[in-house]
Amino acid sequence: MKLCIAEKPSVARDIAKVLGATMPKQGYMEGNGYCVTWTFGHLCTLKEPHDYGPQYKSWNLFLLPIIPQNFGIKLIPNKGVENQFKVIEKLVAECDEVINCGDAGQEGELIQRWVLQKAKCNKPIQRLWISSLTEEAIKEGFASLKPAEDYKNLYLAGNARAIGDWLLGINATRLFTKKFGGNKAVLSIGRVQTPTLAMLVQRQKEIDAFMTEEYWELKTKYRDVIFNAAIDRLKTLDRAEKGLEYLKINPFEIVSFEIKEGKEKNPRLFDLTGLQVEANKKYGYSAEHTLNYIQSLYEKKHVTYPRVDTTYLSESLYPKIEGILRKMTPYQDLIAPLLQEPIPKSKAVFDDAKVTDHHAIIPTEVTPSQNLTREEKFIYDLIAKRFIAVFYPECKISNTLVEAKVGTIPFKTSGKQILEPGWRAVYAKEPKEESTDKEKDKEEEQTIPEFVVGETGPHEPMIHQGKTSPPKPYTEATLLRAMETAGKQVDDEELREMMKNNGIGRPSTRANIIETLFKRKYIERKKKNLVATSTGIQLIDTIEDELLKSPELTGEWESKLRKIEKGEYEANQFKDELIQMVSELTKRVVDGKGKVINLEEEKPEVKEKKKREPTVKKELQSWEETKCPKCKNHNLMKGKTAVGCSDFKNCGFKVLFDIFGKKLSDKQLMDLVLKGKTSKLKGFTTHPENIAEGIVSLSQEFKIVLNS
């Protein structure tokens, strides 16, 4: 009997169906010579400090650092986990061969190996490695199973990562909590979490320290085109006015006129971070929500494996591309022009050297039906259009650059025109993204006539007054990009691709890191922006050790973990380096001066969770991610006078802020929408039956009712 172990029940069912193991049993499926069972993600975890000795139960500064001689694993203490493990253990003992069908990535490899290790497996092990869950992909995967030994380095890297996170997280968290927490709260430190917080704190400080300055610029209009003075900004109005007087008495002359034709490269296929960035920019989805939506699409067989960090496809996929495009029936208007000629095989799309465990995220040949949520449809649309766009021609543009002068003051202007839209045709019907630099966009959109060098004529000089702007706060989109490049500002796609090896965190873990910072109350959302709280700022200020908070140094560790995957670095050496670092850090902090981080801001939220509104505020800032209680298909939108369904025309759900003469607070509104009723309220003045106090609730028909 061959035993297949998948990472979750739904995947096990897909595999069992293909293999013909259709007989359901307690905790597994059986048939056709196979047993197919499953884990629920992690069944095992690294042992906790107290598992190595009772003395570690209490947090004691002088017992640090905790460095086990040998790291052990244990089952996660949960009845369901324990029962499922017993099933796996029994099947491992009875089978002839194990096929590891875990998620095809580092974390998936670690989950399965720990379970097999705990079950004392000594049977031959093979590895199923697939990039989608379609029937065809599963069949192909079973036809080309790989020896488990081929993935040993992947496991070693995952194990080293887990041990590294344990060593630093357990020791640094206890160390800083005991030294600086003042017995008030846990100060959480993490290998990736802390440098991510440090980036947010650094940006916060830059914004707080920024001093806005006024400036003046000279401009002039000639033949309905705005020209800008090519000189430094003027710091005083007096100088600007003198400049204006000079411009008024001097003629305008064209110095050079140049048109250059160029190309705009196609966008790249999505990796997970790229998809999370785009979904945050376009729809305001958090990284965690996007990961959930794409994971669901993967399990429904509509897209390929999502937890990837490459934007390329393997060359072996090329013959399948036309078939996938033909199956994407909702997009046939966009696909038809592509199918008139052979699909181009560009190195910007197909490159084996740039593909590691998996290729970029693309649609499968299984076209979505109507059973997707609104959010899943949006995410699928992003992936589908990007997949189509990469096979279109490049966008051809013309850049016009005009230089002029008024007296001795140089002027210039530029404009851009799209000559052939190419890949931009895929996005032609989509609303244009809002730009932050509207002034620049306005000037770029100018229609520039033909100018002749040496021509002169009347012009209309003017002064433009502006203010310097502080650095922009991070959004989830810009923070994800910063994590990918270890805090460096990189716009070039190719350079960013090269820097991924030194990014902090992995595509699959970054969303969780950001959510952890929210849970710890180290950061908060203000509209789309992520802002460090006073506790987060104090924590980073208290950490003097650059090793803990430097994105670059954390990026170097990530690079070593990737080298372990490739067999270019010893996992034990990585562990030894972290042990040395943790030992030195402990000594420095224990011997250093103590101070207590002020946590006053967070105290009421711990004691009065029900009275305060922080969690509600967080939800209110993303109404677009809150389901309509009536139709349950669409999300809500907040307007000026009411909250209502985004599909209001068909659904009709709406709640006014003002109910019977009383304006409901944000919390009361949220209670009404999420729980169906508010607490008892007073102050109603316009109820037809003169009810002045009572509970506002939603009826079965979703009408507003006030009961005294």
Side-chain angles (χ1 to χ4, degrees):
M1 180 261 284
K2 293 182 179 180
L3 172 63
C4 301
I5 310 177
E7 195 166 308
K8 55 172 69 175
S10 60
V11 177
R13 281 194 293 273
D14 290 336
I15 290 170
K17 188 178 172 188
V18 171
L19 295 176
T22 53
M23 195 182 297
K25 299 278 184 177
Q26 191 67 41
Y28 66 102
M29 310 282 284
E30 189 176 25
N32 203 23
Y34 289 94
C35 283
V36 183
T37 188
W38 54 83
T39 62
F40 313 116
H42 282 275
L43 289 194
C44 296
T45 184
L46 286 174
K47 286 182 177 178
E48 294 171 73
H50 61 258
D51 295 316
Y52 297 106
Q55 70 274 27
Y56 296 127
K57 265 193 175 175
S58 61
W59 290 26
N60 187 329
L61 204 56
F62 301 103
L63 289 175
L64 299 177
I66 303 166
I67 299 169
Q69 193 68 36
N70 293 300
F71 282 83
I73 55 169
K74 66 175 185 177
L75 280 181
I76 289 170
N78 172 289
K79 199 68 185 157
V81 165
E82 289 162 13
N83 290 339
Q84 186 61 18
F85 178 74
K86 282 175 188 169
V87 172
I88 295 170
E89 195 175 31
K90 174 178 168 287
L91 293 171
V92 165
E94 293 171 355
C95 75
D96 305 309
E97 177 185 301
V98 173
I99 301 171
N100 175 354
C101 304
D103 220 358
Q106 192 190 92
E107 198 70 3
E109 191 67 21
L110 184 68
I111 286 169
Q112 297 285 326
R113 295 255 186 163
W114 276 357
V115 167
L116 291 170
Q117 194 178 313
K118 187 76 181 161
K120 297 185 173 62
C121 176
N122 57 5
K123 306 291 170 69
I125 303 172
Q126 296 210 78
R127 183 59 157 110
L128 174 72
W129 194 269
I130 53 177
S131 284
S132 80
L133 292 171
T134 62
E135 189 174 325
E136 184 191 358
I138 293 169
K139 281 179 179 172
E140 282 179 11
F142 272 94
S144 57
L145 293 170
K146 305 282 192 299
E149 193 60 26
D150 289 4
Y151 298 91
K152 185 184 175 185
N153 288 332
L154 190 67
Y155 160 69
L156 290 173
N159 199 53
R161 178 184 294 276
I163 287 172
D165 288 344
W166 192 100
L167 276 168
L168 197 62
I170 294 286
N171 285 296
T173 296
R174 290 188 175 204
L175 181 65
F176 279 80
T177 298
K178 292 308 290 179
K179 187 79 178 180
F180 306 110
N183 297 319
K184 291 178 186 175
V186 172
L187 299 178
S188 173
I189 308 282
R191 189 178 59 85
V192 180
Q193 171 193 316
T194 304
T196 303
L197 176 60
M199 288 195 291
L200 285 156
V201 169
Q202 177 63 25
R203 180 63 56 87
Q204 189 72 33
K205 287 183 172 181
E206 287 167 5
I207 293 167
D208 292 345
F210 187 83
M211 302 288 283
T212 299
E213 291 178 2
E214 289 188 331
Y215 64 85
W216 291 263
E217 292 176 314
L218 297 175
K219 294 178 183 256
T220 194
K221 187 194 275 191
Y222 174 69
R223 286 177 61 184
D224 289 329
V225 175
I226 302 289
F227 284 78
N228 300 304
I231 58 173
D232 290 341
R233 288 169 170 174
L234 304 170
K235 298 291 174 70
T236 65
L237 178 59
D238 183 49
R239 285 193 66 193
E241 285 173 341
K242 282 179 183 168
L244 184 66
E245 291 306 313
Y246 178 81
L247 296 179
K248 283 178 179 175
I249 59 171
N250 280 283
F252 181 93
E253 182 185 343
I254 296 291
V255 174
S256 77
F257 177 74
E258 188 180 15
I259 297 177
K260 277 186 179 176
E261 287 197 7
K263 290 178 179 179
E264 281 188 351
K265 287 181 181 177
N266 302 49
R268 291 197 180 276
L269 290 168
F270 282 123
D271 58 7
L272 177 58
T273 302
L275 181 65
Q276 288 169 321
V277 166
E278 194 67 16
N280 183 255
K281 280 178 7 190
K282 198 163 183 183
Y283 302 118
Y285 297 160
S286 70
E288 186 179 44
H289 281 122
T290 299
L291 180 54
N292 292 339
Y293 303 145
I294 184 71
Q295 183 69 23
S296 175
L297 285 168
Y298 169 64
E299 287 171 21
K300 289 174 181 173
K301 307 178 184 57
H302 302 315
V303 300
T304 57
Y305 184 69
R307 295 164 189 261
V308 298
D309 61 357
T310 181
T311 56
Y312 292 86
L313 300 178
S314 45
E315 290 159 35
S316 62
L317 266 176
Y318 177 73
K320 296 185 177 181
I321 299 301
E322 187 180 329
I324 296 170
L325 287 166
R326 286 188 187 279
K327 289 279 175 69
M328 294 168 67
T329 47
Y331 299 90
Q332 282 311 305
D333 289 354
L334 297 173
I335 290 166
L338 289 178
L339 299 177
Q340 289 170 10
E341 293 178 25
I343 302 297
K345 192 176 182 181
S346 154
K347 263 290 188 197
V349 179
F350 300 95
D351 191 344
D352 284 347
K354 304 280 177 67
V355 177
T356 48
D357 301 339
H358 292 279
H359 55 70
I361 305 168
I362 61 170
T364 66
E365 60 272 23
V366 180
T367 310
S369 56
Q370 295 304 307
N371 68 338
L372 299 188
T373 65
R374 180 171 175 265
E375 293 78 12
E376 287 169 1
K377 282 176 187 167
F378 284 165
I379 296 296
Y380 182 83
D381 187 64
L382 288 178
I383 295 162
K385 284 185 176 163
R386 184 65 64 93
F387 179 62
I388 295 165
V390 298
F391 300 114
Y392 264 67
E394 289 179 317
C395 170
K396 288 186 180 172
I397 55 171
S398 80
N399 289 310
T400 307
L401 180 64
V402 190
E403 292 180 357
K405 65 177 182 178
V406 178
T408 58
I409 298 177
F411 278 80
K412 65 180 180 183
T413 193
S414 62
K416 185 173 90 171
Q417 282 183 303
I418 292 175
L419 304 175
E420 292 177 25
W423 62 266
R424 284 191 174 276
V426 176
Y427 300 98
K429 292 179 183 175
E430 295 196 0
K432 195 178 172 193
E433 276 185 36
E434 271 190 47
S435 172
T436 48
D437 198 341
K438 288 181 181 156
E439 194 76 28
K440 191 181 172 193
D441 280 1
K442 199 173 172 185
E443 286 174 13
E444 265 196 4
E445 285 167 14
Q446 290 187 106
T447 303
I448 296 178
E450 189 87 19
F451 288 113
V452 178
V453 173
E455 74 171 86
T456 63
H459 64 112
E460 302 167 34
M462 64 193 88
I463 295 171
H464 167 74
Q465 184 181 358
K467 287 180 180 177
T468 54
S469 302
K472 290 182 173 59
Y474 279 114
T475 62
E476 284 214 28
T478 55
L479 182 62
L480 285 164
R481 283 295 186 215
M483 292 173 80
E484 189 178 55
T485 55
K488 292 184 175 68
Q489 192 66 43
V490 180
D491 294 321
D492 184 80
E493 286 278 5
E494 285 181 29
L495 184 57
R496 189 157 60 217
E497 194 75 27
M498 286 162 59
M499 292 183 70
K500 283 180 181 177
N501 283 354
N502 286 58
I504 62 173
R506 289 192 75 116
S508 54
T509 60
R510 287 177 190 138
N512 185 254
I513 293 294
I514 295 169
E515 289 305 313
T516 299
L517 292 172
F518 279 122
K519 278 181 204 147
R520 302 283 182 199
K521 298 195 168 46
Y522 296 157
I523 64 171
E524 61 189 2
R525 268 193 192 90
K526 288 193 176 172
K527 294 185 179 173
K528 262 192 167 186
N529 297 331
L530 306 184
V531 178
T533 63
S534 67
T535 304
I537 293 168
Q538 285 181 74
L539 178 57
I540 291 301
D541 286 348
T542 303
I543 300 170
E544 293 177 357
D545 205 295
E546 276 304 306
L547 278 165
L548 281 181
K549 56 184 182 180
S550 161
E552 290 88 353
L553 289 166
T554 307
E556 284 175 24
W557 293 343
E558 290 290 343
S559 178
K560 285 175 183 175
L561 286 163
R562 287 172 191 269
K563 284 180 180 174
I564 294 169
E565 268 189 34
K566 295 175 189 169
E568 297 168 4
Y569 203 80
E570 283 294 324
N572 282 334
Q573 190 178 337
F574 179 79
K575 185 175 87 172
D576 291 343
E577 285 171 10
L578 271 173
I579 287 171
Q580 186 182 342
M581 182 203 141
V582 165
S583 301
E584 289 170 0
L585 172 71
T586 304
K587 187 174 187 316
R588 275 198 299 275
V589 173
V590 170
D591 293 347
K593 286 181 182 176
K595 69 170 183 178
V596 175
I597 291 181
N598 181 2
L599 296 168
E600 282 176 29
E601 190 184 303
E602 271 65 48
K603 262 196 284 186
E605 292 184 10
V606 175
K607 287 185 179 176
E608 301 177 45
K609 240 177 188 168
K610 290 178 184 170
K611 293 182 188 175
R612 288 177 64 88
E613 301 174 17
T615 52
V616 173
K617 278 183 188 170
K618 184 176 164 185
E619 287 175 316
L620 280 175
Q621 287 163 5
S622 56
W623 280 100
E624 71 277 2
E625 292 179 13
T626 306
K627 277 270 181 282
C628 170
K630 184 178 179 184
C631 69
K632 295 186 173 60
N633 289 326
H634 296 85
N635 289 4
L636 297 175
M637 291 174 65
K638 188 178 182 183
K640 289 182 180 175
T641 59
V643 170
C645 182
S646 57
D647 187 30
F648 180 75
K649 282 183 184 175
N650 297 313
C651 169
F653 178 73
K654 182 170 78 172
V655 177
L656 292 168
F657 300 156
D658 192 304
I659 294 177
F660 301 124
K662 176 180 174 61
K663 188 172 183 183
L664 265 61
S665 72
D666 284 349
K667 182 183 185 319
Q668 290 156 355
L669 261 179
M670 189 58 87
D671 282 349
L672 184 59
V673 168
L674 294 181
K675 299 175 185 175
K677 63 179 183 179
T678 66
S679 55
K680 194 162 188 178
L681 306 174
K682 294 179 180 180
F684 299 100
T685 57
T686 61
H687 192 274
E689 294 171 23
N690 294 324
I691 298 174
E693 62 178 88
I695 293 171
V696 180
S697 59
L698 292 173
S699 71
Q700 286 185 330
E701 294 78 36
F702 293 93
K703 304 289 183 197
I704 299 296
V705 180
L706 177 60
N707 297 313
S708 57

